Each structure stands twice: as C-alpha cells, then as structure tokens.
Amino acid sequence: MPGPGTSPCAACKLLRRRCAKDCVFAPYFPPDEPKKFSYVHKVFGASNVSKMLQDLPVNQRGDAVSSMVYEANARVRDPVYGCVGAISSLQQQVAHLHTQLAVAQAEIVCMHMHQAALASTIISTKEMTTGELIPLNQSIPDLHQHYKPLIPLGLEMLGSAETLWT
C-alpha cells in the first residue's frame, strides 16, 4: 500500500490521481508493472475493473485480476476473438499434430510391410537360385546381413516409394 514518499500504483499513475491508502488497485497493479494495468484499462475500463474488484471477496481478487490481465493481453493481440482466438488456434495445432502423428504411424506400418515383403522376396530368390532352405527362426536383420547382394534386387522389385516426409 502506498504511503508517504512512495510511488502510486500503476493504475493511479496511469489515471493521474493520488493513490489512496485503501486503493483497490494497489495490491494487484504495482508501480513497476505499468503495462499490466494499461491493457486492463484499455479493454475493461478503470471503473468496471474497480466495480468488479469491489464486488468480489478479497481472497478471489488476485485470481480475477490474473484473468483480466490474461484476457486484456489476448484482446490487445487479437481485438476480435481475444482468448477464444488463442484457444481455437491451439486446438487447430493439436488437430494438425494428431494428423501428423497418424500419418507417421501409417508410414511406419508401411515400412514394416515393405521390410516383410523384401525379406520374403530375398528368401524366395535365395531358395530359387540355390535350392537352399532358410530356417524359419532366422530373423530378418540376420537375413539382411547374410544376403546383402540380393537386397538391391528386392528393392528394385518393390519400386521406389516416396515417403510422406519429403
């Protein structure tokens, strides 16, 4: 609270008036944060803010001021939609990210299918060319290491598929 020799709160400073001892703005709009009240004043008006604060219990005023400051900042950035515009934008970003995630998951499934098809092609090509039977318990990475010369043939047979990330 302002006393003798202290500077007035940001609200009283902006409104060019003396800051009284019982100023409703002083606890929430300190002198070192002038923009905070400036935006709230621009959007809601000093009289309305004063009435809102006086109508609330003291323990709820801090939260009310935080909400007013947030809404006022949003209204200054987006005068038409304010907070609703920010929320809508964030919801669109979340939806876009969900879509990107679904595409990436589908691409992973496709890559696994291509790997399985390639392994199958390698196995059947090796069996046809050598007549050698490949054990069923041999893993695909082992096959890739063991039959490296056949991998380009398998890729050629699959064709070049463009990924979704390019």
Side-chain angles (χ1 to χ4, degrees):
M1 297 288 176
T6 61
S7 63
C9 68
C12 291
K13 190 182 281 188
L14 182 77
L15 299 171
R16 298 173 189 240
R17 64 181 192 191
R18 255 189 76 180
C19 193
K21 200 183 335 179
D22 60 344
C23 176
V24 73
F25 299 119
Y28 313 104
F29 300 103
D32 60 337
E33 297 179 20
K35 286 202 181 252
K36 187 175 172 181
F37 182 76
S38 172
Y39 291 156
V40 169
H41 177 258
K42 184 176 184 177
V43 173
F44 297 105
S47 178
N48 289 330
V49 173
S50 175
K51 287 177 192 172
M52 283 188 269
L53 290 176
Q54 288 173 347
D55 289 345
L56 288 172
V58 175
N59 65 338
Q60 293 178 356
R61 291 179 183 177
D63 291 336
V65 168
S66 293
S67 295
M68 284 187 269
V69 169
Y70 186 81
E71 176 64 30
N73 285 331
R75 285 279 169 194
V76 167
R77 276 181 282 170
D78 184 352
V80 176
Y81 295 108
C83 286
V84 174
I87 292 168
S88 176
S89 174
L90 291 172
Q91 286 174 334
Q92 287 175 352
Q93 287 178 18
V94 167
H96 180 71
L97 291 171
H98 278 293
T99 302
Q100 283 183 326
L101 178 61
V103 167
Q105 288 171 334
E107 189 172 304
I108 289 170
V109 168
C110 287
M111 289 172 59
H112 285 296
M113 290 172 60
H114 285 290
Q115 284 179 343
L118 178 62
S120 174
T121 302
I122 290 170
I123 291 170
S124 62
T125 304
K126 180 67 174 176
E127 287 175 354
M128 286 188 304
T129 58
T130 65
E132 178 185 333
L133 292 178
I134 297 173
L136 293 176
N137 63 354
Q138 191 169 6
S139 68
I140 290 175
D142 291 341
L143 290 174
H144 283 264
Q145 292 302 321
H146 194 264
Y147 301 110
K148 268 189 178 167
L150 297 175
I151 291 176
L153 173 67
L155 291 174
E156 201 173 282
M157 291 172 71
L158 288 174
S160 63
E162 189 175 315
T163 67
L164 298 174
W165 298 106
T166 56

